[in-house]
Amino acid sequence: MIKSKTQKISLFLLVLLVVSAIDSIRNLPSAAIFGPSLIFFFLFSAATFLVPVALVSAQLSSWVKGKGGVYHWIAEAFGDSAGMFGIWLQWINTMVWYPTILSFMAGTLAYLIQPELAENKTYLILVILGIFWLLTLINLFGIRTSTKINSFCALIGTIIPMLLLICLGILWWASGKTMQITFSYQTIVPTLSSLENWISLTVIMASFLGVELAGVHANDIADPQKNFPKAMAYASVFLIATMLLGALSIGIVVPVQEINLVSGIMQVFSDFFAAFSIPAWTRMLAVLILIGSFGSIINWLISPAKGLLHAAECGFLPRRFLRLNRYGVAQNILFLQAVIVSLLCAVFYLVPGVNAFYWFLTALSTDLYMVMYLLLFASAIRLYTKHRGKAYAFNIPGKQVGIFIVSGLGIFSSLLTIFVGFFPPEHIAIGQGYYALLILGGNLLFAAPALLFCRYRKRQKASVQKRSL
């Protein structure tokens, strides 16, 4: 059946899809712990990572027709096996990432019930599992249902609280209240020889992961070759502005040593509203933040799963994962996600302290995702020679020089982020050696299955050829 135009995702909804998947208040406390130097690192990350990812994704969506997304983009450049490895890294990264945003939601919910619960591992695990399985069931109703819910949650629970946080930060500064950080050239531009300063790059890079995610919905986008690049541009500008100003708003109000990575945002709003004699607003904002986080996970649940479905269609997974329900959703992949996330909750008991657990999962998921980005930037360079001289809806300015500069910056920032991801910040209570081993072991453990799936496809093809003889 041919889909009607009214079923397509509009430019506005596409921008909301990207913004709600990435623009998250939960990342702001993690960035705020680095004080005024976060200005330098946000601008550095935007210039060397966010903008290159947006430009390369827009370019690849113009070059590769039909189905979009990481699998098809990388496969077009380096073959199906490389595409499988790329989409697997994107997918498995989300498995590691889910507990971080879900623990943030649990911490926010704890504020409404009993704030001390935010440090209770049993409570966190039960809430994480309950929310994740509920979201899994919602996503079984298809992309259009999830897009509508996602858009509503983005407006009500992400954009409004983010803008409010920024406005309150400006009022705090303008009213002459005590500033917890000092702005000067020396504090904004960090000592670049200090490893501790570069560790902040991990959490800030993590704030920008997923800009390319909407590419997997190429067939659901109205005029994708034209609207996808536009959506990348609008979303990137909004993300940079809101996340930088939002993190600074936290930093000027809450002392670094008092910021909690799980429930920190509620500390901020409590301090803000108490200062302006409107403490009752804190609970209202907590509800809105929960709504925004709810919508954010909906997109992250279905988009990487759809990308993995593309790989399954090419024979990398058993046929049971190709099974779609009446809404066109790969339900078996969604259920597999839910099982893996449930098992990952056991990591809570291996890492001392909630903050340490939160940081470890953030660093691990970021490293896994950065390896995928290395493949993505390399694909842009390789495909340039294949598509050179052809006119497309979007082209990175500068032709060959532009492609190499943009992709080169992305490769540099990805490698740098992977390196610093092996080092925990000094305020996290976990041993350096133990932490580095956990990061290395986690990367190897979660990346290895992709090789097994490539071998599975090879054996299946050999078996088919043998039967045909």
Side-chain angles (χ1 to χ4, degrees):
M1 176 183 288
I2 298 175
K3 298 179 182 178
S4 65
K5 291 184 178 180
T6 56
Q7 292 179 303
K8 296 290 186 178
I9 301 174
S10 66
L11 175 61
F12 177 70
L13 290 180
L14 184 59
V15 172
L16 283 181
L17 198 69
V18 176
V19 168
S20 64
I22 303 166
D23 207 3
S24 174
I25 288 181
R26 78 174 182 91
N27 291 322
L28 302 186
S30 302
I33 63 179
F34 298 100
S37 64
L38 69 88
I39 296 176
F40 170 85
F41 285 111
F42 255 107
L43 295 178
F44 175 87
S45 300
T48 64
F49 182 73
L50 176 62
V51 173
V53 172
L55 289 173
V56 164
S57 298
Q59 183 72 84
L60 291 172
S61 72
S62 295
W63 281 343
V64 182
K65 304 295 183 181
K67 292 181 179 179
V70 167
Y71 174 77
H72 291 285
W73 295 341
I74 297 176
E76 179 80 6
F78 298 109
D80 289 343
S81 294
M84 173 64 204
F85 190 63
I87 190 59
W88 173 259
L89 290 173
Q90 186 189 60
W91 183 78
I92 199 63
N93 146 78
T94 61
M95 300 302 102
V96 180
W97 170 82
Y98 288 134
T100 66
I101 188 171
L102 290 167
S103 62
F104 166 78
M105 293 178 68
T108 304
L109 182 61
Y111 178 85
L112 296 172
I113 305 171
Q114 184 179 342
E116 293 76 15
L117 287 174
E119 297 292 335
N120 186 303
K121 294 180 180 179
T122 301
Y123 160 81
L124 289 173
I125 290 174
L126 290 177
V127 173
I128 285 172
L129 294 180
I131 294 175
F132 194 79
W133 279 95
L134 172 62
L135 289 166
T136 297
L137 295 177
I138 290 175
N139 269 300
L140 292 177
F141 291 95
I143 182 62
R144 287 167 185 83
T145 298
S146 63
T147 299
K148 291 176 182 178
I149 296 175
N150 173 81
S151 300
F152 170 80
C153 292
L155 286 171
I156 301 300
T158 298
I159 295 176
I160 291 177
M162 187 77 81
L163 295 178
L164 179 59
L165 176 61
I166 294 170
C167 290
L168 290 173
I170 294 172
L171 285 174
W172 184 280
W173 167 76
S175 60
K177 296 184 181 296
T178 302
M179 303 278 284
Q180 297 298 332
I181 57 179
T182 302
F183 296 98
S184 66
Y185 177 81
Q186 289 73 20
T187 58
I188 293 176
V189 180
T191 303
L192 301 183
S193 60
S194 171
L195 179 62
E196 179 67 21
N197 286 332
W198 283 105
I199 291 174
S200 62
L201 195 65
T202 299
V203 68
I204 293 175
M205 286 293 195
S207 301
F208 293 142
L209 298 179
V211 176
E212 80 296 335
L213 206 60
V216 76
H217 302 302
N219 288 340
D220 301 305
I221 299 171
D223 195 1
Q225 270 66 47
K226 179 180 178 181
N227 285 332
F228 190 82
K230 285 185 178 180
M232 293 297 99
Y234 298 152
S236 296
V237 172
F238 188 84
L239 288 168
I240 294 170
T242 55
M243 299 193 80
L244 174 56
L245 296 176
L248 285 175
S249 296
I250 294 177
I252 66 174
V253 176
V254 183
V256 171
Q257 63 273 18
E258 296 180 12
I259 294 177
N260 183 291
L261 299 185
V262 175
S263 59
I265 197 63
M266 298 319 303
Q267 290 176 255
V268 174
F269 280 122
S270 294
D271 290 344
F272 271 133
F273 294 138
F276 293 103
S277 301
I278 46 174
W281 284 28
T282 309
R283 286 183 172 272
M284 177 190 70
L285 261 293
V287 174
L288 293 180
I289 291 169
L290 285 172
I291 292 173
S293 300
F294 196 86
S296 175
I297 302 179
I298 287 179
N299 183 37
W300 278 96
L301 263 170
I302 200 166
S303 296
K306 189 171 182 179
L308 195 63
L309 174 64
H310 293 170
E313 291 171 343
C314 294
F316 285 100
L317 298 177
R319 295 190 61 81
R320 67 176 65 93
F321 291 107
L322 288 171
R323 199 169 300 154
L324 305 179
N325 64 13
R326 60 177 177 154
Y327 299 102
V329 176
Q331 59 185 23
N332 288 344
I333 293 179
L334 287 182
F335 286 133
L336 177 62
Q337 289 180 170
V339 171
I340 292 176
V341 171
S342 300
L343 294 175
L344 277 177
C345 286
V347 177
F348 258 124
Y349 295 100
L350 299 179
V351 181
V354 174
N355 269 12
F357 169 78
Y358 191 96
W359 185 274
F360 166 73
L361 289 187
T362 297
L364 178 58
S365 66
T366 302
D367 274 9
L368 288 167
Y369 217 149
M370 286 300 164
V371 176
M372 185 280 292
Y373 281 119
L374 290 175
L375 287 171
L376 194 69
F377 291 123
S379 297
I381 294 174
R382 178 148 188 184
L383 287 178
Y384 174 78
T385 59
K386 181 177 180 179
H387 297 273
R388 186 184 317 201
K390 295 182 181 179
Y392 290 95
F394 176 82
N395 288 286
I396 292 176
K399 298 182 180 180
Q400 181 173 332
V401 174
I403 289 287
F404 275 87
I405 290 177
V406 169
S407 299
L409 285 173
I411 290 172
F412 166 74
S413 61
S414 299
L415 289 173
L416 180 61
T417 306
I418 292 171
F419 172 73
V420 299
F422 281 86
F423 299 90
E426 58 185 18
H427 61 273
I428 295 296
I430 185 172
Q432 167 62 59
Y434 177 58
Y435 177 86
L437 285 175
L438 282 177
I439 292 291
L440 177 61
N443 275 285
L444 295 175
L445 176 66
F446 289 116
L451 301 177
L452 298 178
F453 290 129
C454 290
R455 185 177 180 183
Y456 168 82
R457 181 178 186 250
K458 185 177 180 180
R459 294 176 70 174
Q460 289 296 108
K461 291 179 68 175
S463 177
V464 170
Q465 291 176 351
K466 185 176 180 180
R467 288 197 298 268
S468 64
L469 295 176

